[in-house]
Amino acid sequence: MTGAAGAGPQLSGSPWFPYAAEESDAATRLFCLPYAGGGWAVFRDWQEQFGPDVHAVPVKLPGRAERLHEPAVARMDRLADRLAAELVPLLDRPYALFGISMGALLAFETAHRLVERGLRAPDRLFVASCRAPQESFDTPPVHGLPDAALITVLARLAATPPQLLANAELMRLVLPTFRADLACTETYVRSDRAPLPVPVTAVRGQGDGTLTEAMVDGWRAETSAGFEQVELAGDHFLVHGDQRELTALVRRRLPRSGPGR
């Protein structure tokens, strides 16, 4: 289905998507999930990297950008429950899930919920900059730190603009979202269940000092449909900077058939 001639992008009926994902005739949908504290805008330019056969659909999580008035969700299971429900109307064609860091765990948990409900499974799960679900964190949790200490941690992560960190009023608005996202990751516990019947592509940045090849290789145990680990140029935040190598990898792994498959 397409919009009327001359009409611009139509707004989605769901607050989880920046535009109507159902308005595209693309053969495949790619749902993109950001890292902790990130918003859908980190994937704003991805559509330009794909041809008309792929519709890159960023996911708008509660507590940021246009949804800043909504409280962020601090439990991974609850967030995955809500996202899975929003995706149901958009499973009419091949699709894949791409998540980076926290978004990778969210994509993984969402895929499990869709499969457990007997719904169409993703054709592929892309997990970037994320240790395997069974890997425990070797650093103390930070989501409960006082504001000043948490801001210091965020400054070290290098993904938060310095001008935002220096703006006390803006930080007052966004710190609850950072805390909730970090809590989602730091309190996450993998459930004991069968591997996903979905191929997994795990991506690690060559300059990512937070992950080792072994930490990422554990994703192999989470799929019964094939696994690969790919190393690309970049650090933990692969979606910043030149993303052409990353999007080219994703494009090569996506299905090409259309609706009704």
Side-chain angles (χ1 to χ4, degrees):
M1 179 170 65
T2 55
Q10 300 189 29
L11 296 177
S12 174
S14 168
W16 291 74
F17 311 110
Y19 41 76
E22 66 274 12
E23 292 296 324
S24 172
D25 289 325
T28 300
R29 293 188 176 113
L30 174 67
F31 297 100
C32 306
L33 302 168
Y35 51 78
W40 72 270
V42 301
F43 301 107
R44 187 190 302 273
D45 299 328
W46 273 40
Q47 186 59 58
E48 299 174 7
Q49 306 297 322
F50 298 99
D53 290 340
V54 177
H55 191 191
V57 185
V59 176
K60 295 169 62 177
L61 300 177
R64 64 214 79 204
E66 299 93 333
R67 303 186 71 186
L68 188 61
H69 62 286
E70 301 177 50
V73 181
R75 286 272 302 274
M76 185 68 74
D77 55 348
R78 294 174 182 170
L79 188 57
D81 286 343
R82 293 180 62 184
L83 177 56
E86 294 293 330
L87 287 174
V88 170
L90 300 175
L91 305 183
D92 62 321
R93 66 194 66 192
Y95 72 98
L97 300 174
F98 175 96
I100 180 167
S101 197
M102 181 198 82
L105 287 177
L106 178 56
F108 171 68
E109 286 295 323
T110 301
H112 266 292
R113 280 154 175 76
L114 296 173
V115 169
E116 288 161 3
R117 291 177 61 181
L119 298 169
R120 186 180 200 141
D123 283 68
R124 185 168 292 268
L125 175 64
F126 297 92
V127 290
S129 304
C130 188
R131 66 189 67 206
Q134 69 270 28
E135 288 280 339
S136 59
F137 281 89
D138 53 7
T139 55
V142 299
H143 68 272
L145 290 175
D147 287 357
L150 182 57
I151 290 173
T152 299
V153 171
L154 296 176
R156 292 201 302 266
L157 294 178
T160 308
Q163 59 269 31
L164 173 58
L165 293 170
N167 189 316
E169 183 61 23
L170 284 177
M171 289 306 296
R172 182 184 66 80
L173 293 174
V174 302
L175 268 184
T177 295
F178 278 110
R179 287 189 188 282
D181 285 1
L182 291 169
C184 270
T185 301
E186 293 176 342
T187 65
Y188 172 77
V189 178
R190 174 189 174 277
S191 298
D192 186 15
R193 56 200 168 190
L196 281 170
V198 176
V200 173
T201 295
V203 186
R204 181 172 63 95
Q206 294 171 346
D208 188 350
T210 70
L211 294 174
T212 65
E213 182 178 346
M215 289 176 179
V216 178
D217 194 67
W219 281 101
R220 184 184 306 274
E222 302 298 342
T223 173
S224 60
F227 170 81
E228 64 175 346
Q229 179 177 168
V230 181
E231 188 176 273
L232 299 179
D235 58 16
H236 190 73
F237 298 100
L238 287 166
V239 293
H240 292 298
D242 189 346
Q243 303 167 32
R244 287 176 294 182
E245 191 177 15
L246 175 59
T247 54
L249 169 68
V250 172
R251 188 170 61 247
R252 290 193 301 270
R253 299 296 188 270
L254 288 175
R256 294 298 179 186
S257 52
R261 176 184 141 185

